Amino acid sequence: VERKSMVMSDEEKKMTAYHEAGHAVVSIHYPASDPIHKATIIPRGRALGMVMRLPETDKISYLREKMHADLAVSMGGRVAEELIFGHDKVSSGASSDIQYATRLANAMVTQWGMSDSLGPVLFAQPEDNTAPMIRSPDAIAKVDAEIKRLVVDAHEAAKKILTEFSGELERVAQALLQYETITGEEITKIAKGETIDRPDPLAEAPKPIKSRLPSNRKGVDLTP
């Protein structure tokens, strides 16, 4: 639910706009990423803003290319803050993104066999608890290192995209500051440098309806 009553400072709005723009720009450069439904800097719940991506069809399986796309997109907000505001001005706004990326990377390594170096081996506790755990101290260290590598690689992938397409990042962020909420279709146009067609809300305001009742200027009794 939107928290329009929450007052954000201009600095927080700017930070949030670039953060969400970072997610959006990385997403549109990953074909495997779900299409963006909309992006907003209107606070919702505990989030100051968000980019909503929705799959075009129901999906049962989770492909490797989609996993790497999601990792990079999740790092896009943090990377945008680093590039625009600098290392010392990075906020805690990427907390949930980092949590999501770490959990995804953990599942890739320990459950889904998506690590080339560790192979298709189960390192997590099986759901039925019937198979033994393969977690020697050496394996634990390798698993942790591989999880970190996946997240760091995603961070670097997002950084490469946002550095190369810095103009797109700037345009989308400025659009968010102006409109607060923009659709996925609008984001694509804005990133390309195209203008978006937003109707003037004042032009569409309903005109007042003139009353057909007779005027009572002369003191005429109009009661039934």
Side-chain angles (χ1 to χ4, degrees):
V1 177
E2 293 181 355
R3 296 173 60 192
K4 292 185 177 181
S5 60
M6 181 179 179
V7 179
M8 294 172 60
S9 67
D10 291 340
E11 183 178 355
E12 287 174 324
K13 278 188 177 181
K14 185 177 179 181
M15 178 76 75
T16 303
Y18 279 97
H19 183 105
E20 303 307 332
H23 287 308
V25 173
V26 173
S27 178
I28 62 179
H29 286 282
Y30 266 91
S33 175
D34 289 325
I36 299 174
H37 173 59
K38 70 177 178 179
T40 181
I41 58 171
I42 298 176
R44 295 168 183 269
R46 297 177 62 183
L48 297 181
M50 65 175 59
V51 172
M52 299 174 64
R53 296 181 297 151
L54 297 176
E56 295 178 311
T57 59
D58 292 335
K59 295 182 179 179
I60 300 175
S61 58
Y62 200 1
L63 302 181
R64 187 196 298 263
E65 63 177 357
K66 175 69 163 54
M67 298 174 196
H68 285 288
D70 287 349
L71 285 172
V73 172
S74 68
M75 290 289 104
R78 171 65 174 262
V79 170
E81 292 185 17
E82 294 172 356
L83 294 176
I84 300 300
F85 304 102
H87 183 271
D88 291 337
K89 296 292 186 178
V90 170
S91 74
S92 60
S95 174
S96 60
D97 300 327
I98 293 173
Q99 185 180 77
Y100 168 81
T102 304
R103 287 179 174 175
L104 174 55
N106 180 77
M108 291 172 67
V109 174
T110 64
Q111 299 178 44
W112 303 331
M114 294 293 180
S115 167
D116 293 334
S117 62
L118 297 179
V121 180
L122 179 69
F123 290 95
Q125 179 68 47
E127 293 182 3
D128 57 8
N129 294 319
T130 59
M133 288 282 288
I134 309 175
R135 292 298 294 267
S136 66
D138 181 58
I140 292 174
K142 289 181 179 180
V143 165
D144 289 344
E146 188 66 359
I147 292 171
K148 180 179 179 180
R149 183 192 67 79
L150 286 171
V151 177
V152 171
D153 284 356
H155 180 279
E156 291 304 309
K159 185 175 182 180
K160 181 179 179 181
I161 290 174
L162 294 181
T163 300
E164 181 177 354
F165 299 98
S166 58
E168 295 184 6
L169 174 64
E170 184 67 28
R171 287 191 288 271
V172 174
Q174 290 301 319
L176 280 169
L177 287 170
Q178 180 179 357
Y179 300 112
E180 293 189 324
T181 299
I182 49 181
T183 67
E185 183 179 352
E186 289 174 334
I187 289 172
T188 300
K189 290 182 178 180
I190 293 166
K192 293 178 180 179
E194 301 174 5
T195 58
I196 60 174
D197 185 19
R198 283 287 183 98
D200 184 356
L202 296 179
E204 294 190 350
K207 296 180 180 180
I209 300 175
K210 295 182 179 180
S211 175
R212 296 183 179 180
L213 295 176
S215 171
N216 194 25
R217 291 178 182 177
K218 296 183 181 181
V220 178
D221 186 4
L222 299 178
T223 56

